[in-house]
Amino acid sequence: MVRFGGEPRSAGRAADGTGPVRSRERFLQGEPVEQGVRTSILDSWQRCRTLGLSPDRSDLPFLEDFDPDGRIVRAAVPVLDRLQARFSGSEINISVADAHGTVLLRRFGEASLARKLPAIQRVPGFVFAERVAGTNGIGLALAERQLIRVYGAEHFAERSQASACVALPVRDPLSGYIEGVLCFGYPRGAENPALRAVIRKAAQAMERRLLGQSSGRERALLRAYLTTGAEAAGGLHRGIAVDELAPELSSRDRAALMEKAAELISRAQRAAVDVLLPDGRRITLVSRPMTSASGVEGIAVEAVLPYSSPEEPLVIPRQVDEVAGFPAGLAVVSAGPPAARLSAAPPSGRLPDAAPGRLTAAAEGDKGAKGVMVAGAAGAAGAAGAAGAAGAAGTDGADGARGGRPVPSSSSAGRLVLLGEPLVGAYALAARRRLELLSEASGRIGATLDVRRTAEELAETAVPRLADFVTVDLSEAVLRGEEATDPLDDLRRTVVHGIRDDLAFTPVGKRTDLGPATSRLRCLADGQAVLEPDVKAAAGRLAQDPEHAERLPADVHSLIVVPLVARGVVLGVAGFYRARDPAPFGDDDRSLAQELATRAALSIDNARRYTHERAMVLALQRRLLPHGLPDQDAVEVAHRYLPAESDVSGDWYDVIPLSGTRIGLMVGDVVGHGMLSAATMGRLRTAARSFAELDLPPDEVLTHLDNLVGRLDREDPDGEGVGIIGATCLYAVYDPTSQRCVLARAGHPPPALVRPDGKVSYPDLPAGPPLGLGGLPFDAVEIDLPEGSQLVLYTDGLIEDRHRDVDVVLDELRGTLAHAERTPEETCQAILDTVAPAHPCDDIALLVARTHALDPGRIATWELPADPAFVGEVRAAALGRLADWGLDEAAFAAELILSELVTNAIRHGAGPIRVRLLHDRTLICEVSDSSNTAPHLRRAASTDEGGRGLFLVAQLSQAWGTRYLPQGKVIWAECGLDAA
């Protein structure tokens, strides 16, 4: 089964009007075809319809100007002869076509088979390209560039319905370009699965013969080079083996020379270039054209090694008379004469004289320089990618040396570095650059855990070394960090990058539409890269792609579309477009693009998974943080939470209303990142708020938190008691009635205090140990906060940055806060704009509070001795103050509450007794005494004469509780101002 868009399609043969037969009929009638035919066949049918081909057409174009003795023919003839003998007596016919679909050779298992074909198809020259013949083995193998089987009704033309075929492209082993197609044709009923293995072996044999042709050309060039040197010098010298070099040249030196020599050969120019070795020495490489006796044109690269002293001899470690695997006369090597002889052999052909970059015209060398053999002839040619076979082949019957075996001299082999044809050098150079690009991609793509940035890194790596323009389309689900569902329906343009800015592609952010037979749809369906070497030739099917039809730049001539697949899931598609380089994309480029896309897809998937996990942690973090600010008048508060770019940690903040109009301000930070830190933060924040609402002082709240963190460490099943959980915290309690603030911190950065006059300071608070260490006390400090002051609390992510000094950041924060007229919201934003790092590596929690003071006219205080006789006086004075405040409706409840609380203080506490009324959002009644005994609410039995006082207080008030002082306690109760 073949999957297409998530739906399986049958890949079986056509029979009895089912499968491809029925699908073809429906297709020709214009009906949609979704099942019953393979994807490659359906794509070919759609291309045929786009090109306007008719299935009834029987004639094929015929070419008379093809090359009957081309490389592919010479490589195929012996192979076809053996195949003909193997299939003798069978109904198989064998064809070889060139890269354009023109049939060059035909063989038949039975001679009578030829008489069944049209006369024009019996001789070489007829064209079976898909654009003229429709769906067939040769044409589809060239279009799909892989092994193809076409069976019966899968053929587009009516004339081929009774036959079947299997076809395979034949490539040049050096360049990777398709030189031709080998095709086996047979009747539909003679299907044999073994034919696929046979055609693969036959194609490999043809490719080996193509390589042998290239090796023979290299051997001819080598013989011509050595013969020229022999005629110029006329002497025989002792030689060294291929790898026996002067001790001055290390393997790294030789590699540098080989690399530059291959580049000189690929440029096909007469030139000279200085190669700077790692130790600072320079070696000059000189390239010159030459031609073998049979007319093979190539480039020879020679080396000139300068020495400080012209008389200094070149030391040869040891000498032998023959190079293994090569004729003895071809391996003679020795120190050569002055470089003035480098141009002794005139070229037989004319090549350009100038080269770009540092290349200069070859000139007469320094008389003090000496030639040196950098690599033996066989080894050097092998570095070019072809003549390695020459070293093992021995002789060449076609291009022998003049007058028998050539005699080398020091003027030739003694200084030869590399020899080869320009195209072979270009292939070697291209292969090296592809490896360099892959090496660069491995370190460049996936440097971040951001989906979009990873896609951009893919495009930036490929432009301009592989393509001139790159587009990347990703599934919207992937961009959100979710699993990709159906990439055919939700592709979104993510990256457009190229050598120019005026790119006429679908803009970033827009939805990408896929036509019915586009290259992108094919690559997504098959999961393989699709190569369109010639955009103009593919104009028919590309016209169905809205982007290619309307937005494709006019100079683009070749494209590759590659699916981005990771762990079996399609994430999107990448398009590589070539415009500036006249050479079209080839199969090597497709393989390179596929490799780049595969690496990028894995990085994108890692980023997607990280994005998903980060989104979950961030959602948990934000859920555990306060969703709003409580209603209170003590401070005006603004806050910010900024998660880290890399990962979310456990920072938190909180604003806690306390009794007596006081307010608690808290910030904290849990060590580590990820889900564990966020969950631990939620537990600590909940516990801290609970401890604070017990009206405990800041130092005692931190002590309870310290014990809790230590217990969490001990209870952690994976921590093994090593204290993997840790946290810091800063807690401040501000009292608007006294305008004083009590602060304590546990390993947390100190707060910043902004006075009303704009003066900024950092209060000197004892640092205290981080939470979880245990055994060490926390100290609280009390400071004055005049009305209008700002207290700024923050976590360490704001000031600690590996690229900045903490003291410098604190000075920047001081300068930013020196604007007392700003509101807390404006202060928060200014801090994030000027002080926060551009790319925070840790979370930032920020809390800014501007203090207010409670109007003294809204505070009433009385002191009385522990005598029940004074209870009535206090009650009457309180009722009078409530009348002054206009709170007559709350008088009844307040009178009962005060009576009960004062009576309890006199009976169970110790004097002096202090009564205070606070008129804020609620009416607060407070009674304090010097005793530490705590009242407890209990349900009185029906027979009890007392014990109902606190029950009445709880019923008449919104909230009540006890707050302990350094000496004594305060019992308080809040009454709603709308109470009757």
Side-chain angles (χ1 to χ4, degrees), residues 2-62:
V2 179
R3 298 193 66 85
F4 179 92
E7 294 295 332
R9 291 186 173 183
S10 173
R13 65 180 62 184
D16 302 328
T18 61
V21 174
R22 177 56 182 159
S23 299
R24 181 173 178 275
E25 292 176 358
R26 295 177 57 193
F27 178 83
L28 295 178
Q29 293 172 4
E31 299 179 13
V33 177
E34 298 181 355
Q35 294 184 351
V37 63
R38 290 178 290 153
T39 301
S40 59
I41 300 299
L42 179 59
D43 290 342
S44 180
W45 289 354
Q46 290 170 335
R47 292 194 294 267
C48 294
R49 181 164 59 186
T50 302
L51 293 170
L53 299 181
S54 171
D56 300 327
R57 181 178 175 180
S58 59
D59 59 324
L60 295 174
F62 181 82

Side-chain angles (χ1 to χ4, degrees), residues 581-668:
D581 190 345
F585 282 129
D587 287 298
D588 287 341
D589 298 311
R590 178 173 61 175
S591 299
L592 178 59
Q594 181 79 63
E595 179 65 23
L596 290 176
T598 299
R599 299 188 182 196
L602 287 174
S603 298
I604 289 173
D605 190 56
N606 288 337
R608 178 200 63 78
R609 298 170 68 183
Y610 165 77
T611 301
H612 179 68
E613 180 178 346
R614 184 176 184 272
M616 293 178 57
V617 175
L618 187 57
L620 174 64
Q621 174 86 339
R622 294 192 183 279
R623 184 66 181 173
L624 295 175
L625 289 174
H627 291 174
L629 297 178
D631 295 332
Q632 47 81 35
D633 295 327
V635 291
E636 178 186 356
V637 181
H639 56 86
R640 294 289 190 277
Y641 172 72
L642 186 64
E645 283 192 353
S646 58
D647 206 350
V648 180
S649 62
D651 291 14
W652 88 89
Y653 61 88
D654 211 343
V655 179
I656 309 169
L658 302 174
S659 64
T661 70
R662 297 173 306 138
I663 196 74
L665 305 173
M666 182 180 293
V667 292

Side-chain angles (χ1 to χ4, degrees), residues 255-600:
L257 293 176
M258 288 297 183
E259 179 179 330
K260 183 57 66 175
E263 183 176 347
L264 286 175
I265 290 177
S266 68
R267 293 178 183 272
Q269 294 170 324
R270 180 194 300 273
V273 62
D274 287 338
V275 180
L276 182 63
L277 299 179
D279 59 6
R281 292 180 300 161
R282 293 180 182 272
I283 290 182
T284 301
L285 294 181
V286 180
S287 64
R288 60 184 178 89
M290 58 176 299
T291 305
S292 71
S294 61
V296 179
E297 296 183 354
I299 299 293
V301 180
E302 301 164 321
V304 178
L305 177 63
Y307 287 89
S308 57
S309 173
E311 293 77 22
E312 180 181 355
L314 180 63
V315 179
I316 305 298
R318 68 183 180 89
Q319 296 177 341
V320 298
D321 295 329
E322 184 174 349
V323 178
F326 215 80
L330 301 182
V332 179
V333 178
S334 69
R341 285 189 173 182
L342 290 178
S343 301
S348 59
R350 188 76 181 161
L351 292 177
D353 293 328
R358 295 187 54 210
L359 299 179
T360 58
E364 294 289 292
D366 182 3
K367 296 296 183 180
K370 295 185 178 182
V372 59
M373 172 63 174
V374 177
T395 61
D396 184 348
D399 293 295
R402 279 174 275 175
R405 178 169 297 182
V407 180
S409 71
S410 60
S411 64
S412 58
R415 58 176 178 265
L416 178 63
V417 176
L418 203 60
L419 182 146
E421 294 181 85
L423 285 179
V424 176
Y427 300 149
L429 186 62
R432 177 173 59 82
R433 289 178 175 172
R434 289 188 182 99
L435 291 176
E436 292 174 351
L437 182 59
L438 289 176
S439 176
E440 178 183 336
S442 62
R444 185 173 182 179
I445 300 176
T448 65
L449 287 173
D450 182 83
V451 172
R452 287 180 173 84
R453 181 56 195 151
T454 303
E456 292 172 356
E457 290 166 351
L458 168 62
E460 293 169 358
T461 302
V463 174
R465 296 168 66 178
L466 173 61
D468 297 315
F469 307 100
V470 173
T471 62
V472 179
D473 303 321
L474 294 178
S475 168
E476 287 189 75
V478 173
L479 294 174
R480 295 192 301 267
E482 303 171 2
E483 287 280 356
T485 53
D486 188 358
L488 302 179
D489 293 336
D490 66 344
L491 282 182
R492 186 74 61 176
R493 177 57 46 89
T494 307
V495 175
V496 177
H497 183 66
I499 58 177
R500 300 193 305 269
D501 294 332
D502 56 334
L503 304 179
F505 291 96
T506 300
V508 173
K510 296 294 184 180
R511 183 183 178 87
T512 305
D513 296 323
L514 302 178
T518 64
S519 302
R520 283 176 292 176
L521 185 62
R522 291 167 56 203
C523 86
L524 288 175
D526 297 339
Q528 299 293 329
V530 174
L531 168 63
E532 298 288 358
D534 188 352
V535 170
K536 294 181 179 179
R541 57 180 176 273
L542 293 180
Q544 302 181 50
D545 189 337
E547 172 161 296
H548 293 158
E550 302 174 4
R551 301 178 180 272
L552 195 64
D555 53 349
V556 168
H557 60 79
S558 185
L559 71 92
I560 301 173
V561 185
V562 187
L564 298 172
V565 182
R567 301 177 179 91
V569 178
V570 179
L571 309 178
V573 61
F576 301 83
Y577 302 83
R578 177 168 289 178
R580 185 175 53 180
D581 190 345
F585 282 129
D587 287 298
D588 287 341
D589 298 311
R590 178 173 61 175
S591 299
L592 178 59
Q594 181 79 63
E595 179 65 23
L596 290 176
T598 299
R599 299 188 182 196

Side-chain angles (χ1 to χ4, degrees), residues 245-255 281:
L245 307 177
E248 290 88 347
L249 296 177
S250 65
S251 59
R252 187 168 62 170
D253 296 340
R254 285 181 290 169
R281 292 180 300 161

